[in-house]
Amino acid sequence: MDGNIVGLDLVADAVKRAWKLLATREKRVVLALPATAVITKKVIMPAGMRESDMEFQVETEANQYIPFSLDEVNLDFQELGPSGNNPEEVEVLIAASRKEKIEDRVAAAEGAGLKVLIMDVESYATEAAFALAVTELPKAGKGQTVMMVDIGAVMTHVHVFHEGQMVHSREQSFGGGHLTQEIQRRFGVTVEEAEIAKRNGGLPESYESEILQPFLQSLVQEVARSLQFFTNSTQYNKVDHILLAGGCAAIPSAAALVQEKTQVNTIVANPFTQMSVNPRLKQLQIAADAPALMIACGLALRRFD
Ligand SMILES: Nc1ncnc2c1ncn2[C@@H]1O[C@H](COP(=O)(O)OP(=O)(O)OP(=O)(O)O)[C@@H](O)[C@H]1O
Ligand SMILES: [Mg+2]
């Protein structure tokens, strides 16, 4: 809920059931925090510092930018490379998050019997997954501006990439949860039943016209507004393609309706096109789940070094 775990045992139990369904022995996992839970800052430091000196310097810098006591946060940093063209300086990315945000997530995974190796940031994982999904666009997106709209359960994250680099990010509260609630209210079903019906159908005929269509209209409006906001507030005056991601991108007519309204080529994001897929998995199921698995795929690309 809003980036926090409410009901730790329930979450741990759900993760455990999901893990069992995977039928794997792998217990190492990589997790991510939502970008809103992480404070990041790029700073310039002298090149060639010793690790311990660098840590000290990072803490000093962090003290200036982080509105909490350093005891309350987990702090990390990564040297990004030379700063501009001055060989004496390097650019360093500092990231900090409140301890409880990290501890809750680790506890949920450990409660499911898993071992957390890395805590990443969702927006970085999205950036990595973008590189997988963009291969489906003409010229693999080269020289193009691509807007990725991830419509989840409660949040919509919008990221715009130019030449593969994220140049704009924004989030708003909109998601498939609204549709689930409408189904529950209208047909008197439980959340679980509504979720299954969204995927597998079986609702009365009035669903399409009275519930789904109005929801899709708001979805299209949200995307159109994000597009307008981006072109009005940045140096870019157009977007060449829209990649629709998140669970709501799997609604069959969503991409077509977005394209019709925005007049921008729109496709459903699929991070699996360049991967070989276990033949035991059903193609249709993968296609339906693919847009919701962007962050998971981005995290899976990480190395453990
Ligand atoms: N095949 C489908 N058809 C329609 N809706 C779907 C489908 N698959 C998933 N959804 C909906 O997508 C939403 C979940 O999407 P996703 O997994 O991207 O969310 P999330 O990342 O967990 O949530 P958030 O980003 O909001 O915290 C739910 O509302 C779910 O009902
Ligand atoms: Mg999401």
Side-chain angles (χ1 to χ4, degrees), residues 64-300:
Q64 299 175 41
Y65 303 114
I66 296 167
F68 319 109
S69 146
L70 285 191
D71 303 337
E72 294 169 38
V73 299
N74 281 40
L75 193 61
D76 200 3
F77 64 95
Q78 171 84 46
E79 196 177 311
L80 297 176
S83 149
N85 40 24
N86 183 348
E88 318 246 292
E89 289 179 334
V90 286
E91 197 174 28
V92 178
L93 178 70
I94 301 179
S97 179
R98 288 181 72 95
K99 280 200 165 114
E100 70 251 23
K101 301 254 180 204
I102 293 171
E103 284 163 0
D104 275 4
R105 281 174 171 73
V106 172
E110 287 179 348
L114 303 176
K115 184 168 187 279
V116 183
L117 296 192
I118 290 172
M119 184 65 73
D120 206 325
V121 183
E122 285 182 0
S123 53
Y124 297 161
T126 299
E127 210 164 2
F130 176 79
L132 297 175
V134 78
T135 55
E136 281 206 279
L137 292 175
K139 290 183 275 173
K142 251 204 155 51
Q144 323 249 298
T145 307
V146 183
M147 185 167 94
M148 186 165 117
V149 187
D150 173 335
I151 310 171
V154 289
M155 294 304 288
T156 292
H157 297 271
V158 179
H159 303 286
V160 184
F161 296 84
H162 184 73
E163 294 283 7
Q165 296 287 321
M166 205 184 271
V167 294
H168 170 89
S169 272
R170 190 167 174 250
E171 59 170 40
Q172 62 222 60
S173 60
F174 176 82
H178 297 276
L179 179 57
T180 310
Q181 277 168 15
E182 281 301 305
I183 296 173
Q184 281 181 264
R185 201 169 11 229
R186 178 61 188 265
F187 303 110
V189 295
T190 64
V191 189
E192 291 79 8
E193 288 165 339
E195 285 290 348
I196 292 170
K198 277 168 91 170
R199 290 171 174 80
N200 304 340
L203 288 167
E205 214 174 296
S206 59
Y207 169 65
E208 278 277 330
S209 61
E210 290 171 25
I211 312 276
L212 184 62
Q213 287 310 324
F215 173 78
L216 283 169
Q217 286 312 317
S218 353
L219 182 151
V220 166
Q221 281 294 343
E222 289 290 334
V223 179
R225 242 182 264 143
S226 297
L227 183 65
Q228 202 178 26
F229 183 83
F230 170 72
T231 50
N232 287 347
S233 65
T234 64
Q235 73 200 78
Y236 302 89
N237 49 24
K238 74 170 176 42
V239 160
D240 301 298
H241 306 281
I242 295 174
L243 270 179
L244 223 49
C248 292
I251 301 173
S253 52
L257 289 171
V258 166
Q259 173 161 321
E260 189 184 291
K261 167 86 180 174
T262 60
Q263 296 293 305
V264 177
N265 176 43
T266 304
I267 66 166
V268 177
N270 183 350
F272 297 114
T273 51
Q274 307 287 311
M275 291 189 207
S276 50
V277 172
N278 188 325
R280 282 190 302 145
L281 297 174
K282 293 197 196 85
Q283 280 302 332
L284 267 178
Q285 188 64 51
I286 297 169
D289 289 338
L293 293 174
M294 290 285 281
I295 290 176
C297 286
L299 293 176

Side-chain angles (χ1 to χ4, degrees), residues 26-31 114-119 302 304:
E26 184 61 78
K27 291 195 164 181
R28 298 170 302 169
V29 294
V30 181
L31 301 182
L114 303 176
K115 184 168 187 279
V116 183
L117 296 192
I118 290 172
M119 184 65 73
R302 293 218 35 163
F304 300 109

